[in-house]
Every structure is written in structure tokens, then in C-alpha cells.
Amino acid sequence: MDMISEHVCHGGVQRFYRHESEAIGLPMRFSIFIPPQAAQGPLPALFYLAGLTCTEETFAIKAGAQQHAAREGLILIAPDTSPRGAGIEGETESWDFGEGAGFYLDATQAPWSQHYRMESYVHELRQLAIDELPVDAKRIGIFGHSMGGHGALTLALRRPDLFRSVSAFAPIAAPVRCPWGQKAFNGYLGPDQETWLQHDASALMSVQDEAPFPNGILIDQGLADKFLEEQLYPGVFEDACRAAGQPLELRRHAGYDHGYYFISSFIADHVKFHSRQLKEL
């Protein structure tokens, strides 16, 4: 790992790293906030998955989460949203597919399958953080926004043994139903829609025999979000949770849109939500 920069922040340090990724086959970047409590030993960690067009810097710069993580003694880790510089024809032509839009899954279709392996990458980064940074392996949670909210929910539902708490801001909660999800899944996974269901949070929740997160899932959604009706479908996920007996707090906020002003307004609640669950382990 090569540290790109380090900044003192709320008594801790905000760092940006570059490293060679085996899962991606290219260099990748991530950000990490380490609070001052790390001087006493490993701490719980919270992965944040960002949305379309974002990078590893977006959350660290815009969300204002460090002050809350410093108070709770929680490490924050944010990977980039896709490989960069894979050299695939067309990878920078669309803002909602290709670079900046990896959708946190492992592509199976050429030419994307060689490098676009973001699900494997998140797991690789999780292990790297455990091995090289003061992270408690047994106390790791995950959350995200929009495409990253989709990623947080699906990765947590696929591996609740690794990610012990989960929340989301305005997630793409039923991607098989929306244009963003259909475009990504068709391009990365091919036309077989049965394979799409393995990366759809609502579909994954609908087949649960019992609540995978009995202490609850938290979702915040702005009601002035221009993507709400066509792209996000939080009500579908809410119905799936109800059928599975999964406790869910889906908070709907009048006037809030899809951006980081919305996220920064409720980020403290999410940090506290994860801190409480992870510290109980």
C-alpha cells in the first residue's frame, strides 16, 4: 500500500491510499479515517460504498462523517466505485455504466469480466484493512448511497457473516426493475435475469427464511429525490423485509433530494446506528 496523503482530522487522521489489487488486476484507491482511539488498539470499521460517478474521495470530502466517527471510535473506509484505466472500449461513454459505475458486483461478460470485479474487490479491501490497519475483523459494518446503497445491502445480504451491520441512503433497492440496474446487469452479467436476482437487495431479502439482521436495517430516503419513482423502489425492499420478518427503519424525509446535503443531514444517525450494533458484538 502506498499512502497518497494524510490529513489530521477531528483528532484522528484522514488518509488516502493506492494499492495493487489482485481482484481487479489494476491499481485501486481507497480512503480511510482512523479516529484517535486507534492508539489503544483495533477498532470497529464501517465501509461506505459511494454512488454513480463518485470516487474514493467523495464521501470523505462531502459527508462530514469524521467528526461522528471520532466521537464513536469507528474507522471509516471508502473504496473507489470502479476500476480506472482498464482500457475497455466505451468504458467512459456513459455516466451510469463503466468507469465510476461498477455496481459492486463481479462482471461475467466480456470485456468487463477481466477487471470489473467490484464485489471481490470490496472483500479484498476488507481483508487488506484487517491485515494492515487497526481494524477489528469481527466488527465490520457496511453502508452506502444510491448505487452504493445497493452494494451495501446486497453485499451484506450475501455475506452477513462478514458485514455485521448495514444501512443505506437512497439505495437502488430493486435494480432489476429500474433503468440503472437493467443497464448495468445486462452489460456486466448478460441477459439471463436469474443471475440478476443474486444482486438485487429486494430479491435477496424475499428468499430469507429468517431475519439476517435481527437488530435492524436503517434506510433514509428523501421525498424530493428526482430518482425516487423511476430508479430506487424503497417500498419494494420494505415489503420484502416485512415478509421476511426483517426489522427495517425506512425513514422518508420531505424536501430532501438525492445529494450529499441530504447525506450530511443524517450521517450522524447512521454512524451511531452502526457503532451501537458493532460495539454490542
Side-chain angles (χ1 to χ4, degrees):
M1 283 194 316
D2 297 319
M3 189 165 63
I4 300 169
S5 65
E6 179 181 71
H7 315 273
V8 175
C9 182
H10 293 285
V13 289
Q14 177 67 57
R15 294 175 179 169
F16 296 89
Y17 283 99
R18 179 193 299 109
H19 72 109
E20 295 293 332
S21 168
E22 292 185 8
I24 300 296
L26 293 167
M28 291 291 289
R29 297 188 181 203
F30 68 94
S31 69
I32 181 168
F33 173 72
I34 303 175
Q37 295 91 330
Q40 278 72 55
L43 296 174
L46 181 54
F47 275 73
Y48 176 86
L49 306 184
L52 292 165
T53 77
C54 294
T55 73
E56 77 285 350
E57 294 183 313
T58 310
F59 175 72
I61 293 171
K62 292 185 174 183
Q66 294 94 335
Q67 60 184 312
H68 309 297
R71 184 174 57 250
E72 296 292 333
L74 194 64
I75 291 172
L76 301 173
I77 302 170
D80 201 352
T81 52
S82 78
R84 304 282 171 175
I88 299 173
E89 184 178 357
E91 70 177 336
T92 61
E93 290 182 358
S94 299
W95 68 276
D96 56 357
F97 184 80
E99 236 182 54
F103 264 81
Y104 303 103
L105 53 77
D106 288 355
T108 59
Q109 300 297 298
W112 309 100
S113 55
Q114 181 178 0
H115 297 298
Y116 277 69
R117 296 172 43 80
M118 287 301 295
E119 180 174 6
S120 290
Y121 175 67
V122 173
H123 290 305
E124 178 186 17
L125 182 57
R126 177 187 174 277
Q127 190 60 51
L128 181 67
I130 292 167
D131 293 342
E132 302 292 338
L133 298 162
V135 170
D136 183 341
K138 295 181 180 179
R139 296 188 294 166
I140 297 176
I142 191 167
F143 70 151
H145 169 233
S146 193
M147 176 186 71
H150 141 77
L153 292 172
T154 56
L155 268 61
L157 287 169
R158 286 164 66 85
R159 292 301 305 268
D161 56 322
L162 299 182
F163 298 108
R164 308 301 302 277
S165 59
V166 59
S167 71
F169 294 94
I172 304 172
V176 300
R177 300 181 182 223
C178 77
W180 281 342
Q182 292 163 4
K183 181 175 182 177
F185 289 174
N186 190 65
Y188 293 136
L189 301 175
D192 181 2
Q193 295 192 12
E194 287 299 314
T195 65
W196 297 9
L197 297 176
Q198 298 303 311
H199 303 279
D200 181 296
S202 297
L204 289 169
M205 184 60 74
S206 71
V207 298
Q208 301 295 321
D209 295 327
E210 58 184 19
F213 293 92
N215 291 329
I217 295 172
L218 173 63
I219 293 177
D220 279 301
Q221 175 63 60
L223 293 181
D225 188 326
K226 66 181 181 180
F227 302 116
L228 176 57
E229 297 300 325
E230 185 180 21
Q231 302 283 12
L232 303 181
Y233 291 95
V236 176
F237 185 71
E238 184 178 37
D239 290 344
C241 286
R242 186 179 298 113
Q246 169 62 55
L248 170 69
E249 186 176 7
L250 173 54
R251 308 192 303 186
R252 296 171 169 91
H253 305 280
Y256 285 90
D257 62 21
H258 196 69
Y260 272 81
Y261 295 113
F262 159 60
I263 293 172
S264 66
S265 297
F266 301 103
I267 190 67
D269 294 346
H270 284 251
V271 172
K272 290 177 183 177
F273 171 83
H274 288 275
S275 179
R276 182 175 63 253
Q277 293 203 18
L278 295 174
K279 288 178 179 178
E280 288 177 355
L281 295 174

